[in-house]
Amino acid sequence: MSITQNKKTSIFALIKQSFSNENFDLTNMSINKAVFLLAIPMMFEMLMESVFALVDLYFVGHLKESAYAIQSVGLTESLLSIIYAICIGISMAATAIVARRIGEKDREKAAQNAAQAITISIIITIILSVLGFIYAKDWLLWMGASEESAEYGYGYTRILLASCVSIMLLFLINGIFRGAGNAAVAMKSLWFGNLINIILCPIMVRGWWIFPEMGLEGAAYSTAIGRSMGVVYQLYYLSKKDSLIQLKLKYFKLQWDMIWNITKIAVPGMVQYMISTCSWVILARIVAQSGGEIGSSGFLTCLRLLVFFILPAWGLSNAASTLVGQNLGDNNPDKAYKSVLATLKYNVIYMAIVTIIFFSMAELLASFFTTDEAIKAVAKEAMYIGAIGFVVYGAGMTLMNAFNGAGDTITPTIINIVGFWLFQIPFAYVMTYHFELGPTGAFIAIPSAEILIAILAFILFKRGKWKQKKV
C-alpha cells in the first residue's frame, strides 16, 4: 500500500473514531490528533445548532406574509441570542471546570460540578421562560418590529421563549460533554433534535397528516419539540454506565463551594457573550429603523446564513477550550499553548473557505430563503461586507475560547466591551446616521469590530497570564 493510501486510511479512521462515543485521553496523544478528534464533531454540533433556525426560516419564508414571518423569526433569534449568552456562560464554566477535573483524572468531581451547573441553569431558565411568555410582543416591538409584524409573529416568539429550558439544557449538557472530551455525544444530541424538527416543521407549518395548519407558530412548536428530544438523548447517555460523566442523584444536592466556583467563571462568561449578543441585537434594531422591513429581513437573512457558516468555526475553536482546560489540569501549559495555535491554523483555513463561498454564492444562498428581490439585494450586500473579516474572525474566536478554556472569562469580557460597546455600536451609529449610509453603515461596523477584537486577543494571549489561572 502506498504512503498516500496509508494517509487516506489514517484520516478516514480518525474521522470514524471522532464520530464514536469513545472516551479519549486527550492529554496523552499528539496535538494534531487531539484537535482533529474534537474539532470534527464540534463543528458538526455547532452546524446542527444553526439548522434549527434555518429550517424555520426556510418554511416560514414561503408563507403568504413572508416579510413579517422572516422578520419575526430573525428578531426572535436575536432575542434568543441573549438567552444563548446566558446558556453559553454557564456551559463555558462547566466546560472549563469539567475539562480541568478530567485533566486531573478526577471523574467524580467532574460529575459533581456538572450536576451543580445543571441545577443553577434550571433555576435561571424558569425565570426567563415566565418573562418571555408574558412580554413576547413587547420585546418584538422594542426590537423595531412594526405593530402589524409584532401582532403577526408574537405567538412564535412566545412559544420559543417559553421553551428555553430545552435551549439551556441542550447548551449546558453539551458543554459538559465537550469538557470531558466526548464531543461526539454532544453532536449526536443535536443531530437527533434536528431530525425531529426537520420532520415536524413542514407538517406543523403546512398542516399535513393529523395536524392543523399552524403557520408560523407551527415552526416554533416543532423547534421546541426537537430541542427537547435532543435533551432526552443527552440524559439517556448520562444514565449509561460507560459514560465518562456519570450523574447521580446525590450530586444535585446544593454544594455552595462548587456553585461559587462555577458562578465566578460563569458570570463574566455570561457578561462576555451578553455584550456581543446585545451588540448584534442593537445592530438589528439600527437596520430595522434605518432600512424598514425590507432592510431588516435582508440583514436577518444574512445573519442566519452567517451563523450557519460561522458556528462550525465556533465549534472548531471549542477544541482549543477543551484542550487548554485538560492540559492545564495535566500540568502541561506548553502543550495547551501549542494546541491553541494548531486549532487557530485550522480555523483560519476553514474561514478562508467560507469567505470564498460568500463572495461566489451570495445570490444562490439568499435565494434559498426568499424570493423577494429587494430582500435578496440587502442580504447580498451584508454578506459581501461581512465576509471581509472572516479570516481574522476565525483567529479571534479561537483565542477567546482559549482564555475561556483556562477559566479566564474576565479577559475576553474586557476585550468584548472594548470591541463591541466602545467601538462597534458607536461606529455603526456614526456610519448609519451621520454619514447617511443606512443599513450599510451597520454592515461595515461588523468586520471592523471583529478585526479589532482579534488583535487585542492575540496581544493578551501572547502575554500568557491565562496559564496561571486556577479553577
Side-chain angles (χ1 to χ4, degrees), residues 126-155:
I126 291 172
I127 299 171
L128 293 174
S129 295
V130 172
L131 293 175
F133 185 82
I134 296 173
Y135 297 109
K137 184 176 179 180
D138 300 290
W139 282 115
L140 287 178
L141 290 170
W142 181 84
M143 287 284 294
S146 64
E147 178 66 35
E148 294 82 3
S149 182
E151 182 64 32
Y152 179 86
Y154 85 95

Side-chain angles (χ1 to χ4, degrees), residues 94-112:
T95 298
I97 295 173
V98 168
R100 192 69 68 97
R101 300 293 87 84
I102 292 296
E104 295 168 354
K105 310 299 187 286
D106 192 342
R107 292 172 56 179
E108 184 174 8
K109 281 288 186 183
Q112 290 173 353

Side-chain angles (χ1 to χ4, degrees), residues 83 124-135 158 160-166:
I83 294 174
I124 294 173
T125 306
I126 291 172
I127 299 171
L128 293 174
S129 295
V130 172
L131 293 175
F133 185 82
I134 296 173
Y135 297 109
R158 171 179 283 181
L160 287 186
L161 292 179
S163 66
C164 60
V165 171
S166 61

Side-chain angles (χ1 to χ4, degrees), residues 345-372:
K345 177 182 69 175
Y346 295 128
N347 220 2
V348 165
I349 293 171
Y350 170 77
M351 291 304 293
I353 295 171
V354 175
T355 301
I356 295 171
I357 292 172
F358 264 50
F359 276 115
S360 61
M361 300 176 63
E363 173 76 26
L364 176 63
L365 293 172
S367 298
F368 185 70
F369 296 104
T370 180
T371 56
D372 189 307

Side-chain angles (χ1 to χ4, degrees), residues 205-224:
V205 170
R206 296 174 179 174
W208 295 347
W209 195 34
I210 62 173
F211 293 92
E213 183 178 345
M214 290 183 277
L216 185 59
E217 292 185 8
Y221 282 119
S222 65
T223 298

Side-chain angles (χ1 to χ4, degrees), residues 286 290 423-446 448:
I286 292 172
S290 62
F423 178 74
Q424 186 183 70
I425 295 173
F427 187 57
Y429 268 103
V430 169
M431 298 296 286
T432 300
Y433 298 113
H434 180 73
F435 289 102
E436 300 181 348
L437 293 179
T440 304
F443 303 158
I444 293 172
I446 295 171
S448 303

Side-chain angles (χ1 to χ4, degrees), residues 51-85:
V51 168
F52 280 112
L54 286 177
V55 170
D56 288 357
L57 194 60
Y58 174 78
F59 286 105
V60 305
H62 294 80
L63 294 174
K64 184 177 180 181
E65 301 289 346
S66 63
Y68 288 160
I70 291 172
Q71 187 180 45
S72 297
V73 173
L75 292 179
T76 299
E77 279 297 303
S78 295
L79 284 170
L80 284 174
S81 66
I82 298 174
I83 294 174
Y84 293 155

